Amino acid sequence: MAYCNKCSCSLVGHICPNCKTDYNTYMPGTPNLKHPSEVEALIIHRIENNLFERPVGL
């Protein structure tokens, strides 16, 4: 679940229903936010294929 970093409300379609912050245009030049299911799929893929960065010293 994604939350607004200004008021902590749950986002609906990358927009905060409380303070109306639009996270699609909030940070110009950065990639659009990904849907939580897409993030989950990417994490699982990286774990299964050992494609994640390990912290220094481990």
Side-chain angles (χ1 to χ4, degrees):
M1 177 78 49
Y3 295 92
C4 177
N5 67 347
K6 291 184 178 182
C7 68
S8 300
C9 183
S10 298
L11 298 182
V12 176
H14 307 308
I15 297 172
C16 178
N18 182 53
C19 70
K20 308 301 184 213
T21 300
D22 183 348
Y23 284 91
N24 287 318
T25 59
Y26 183 68
M27 299 176 72
T30 59
N32 286 340
L33 295 175
K34 297 184 184 316
H35 189 273
S37 61
E38 185 178 354
V39 173
E40 182 179 359
L42 290 169
I43 291 170
I44 291 169
H45 170 75
R46 290 179 182 175
I47 290 171
E48 290 176 345
N49 293 286
N50 202 25
L51 299 173
F52 54 92
E53 293 183 27
R54 296 180 186 270
V56 175
L58 292 179

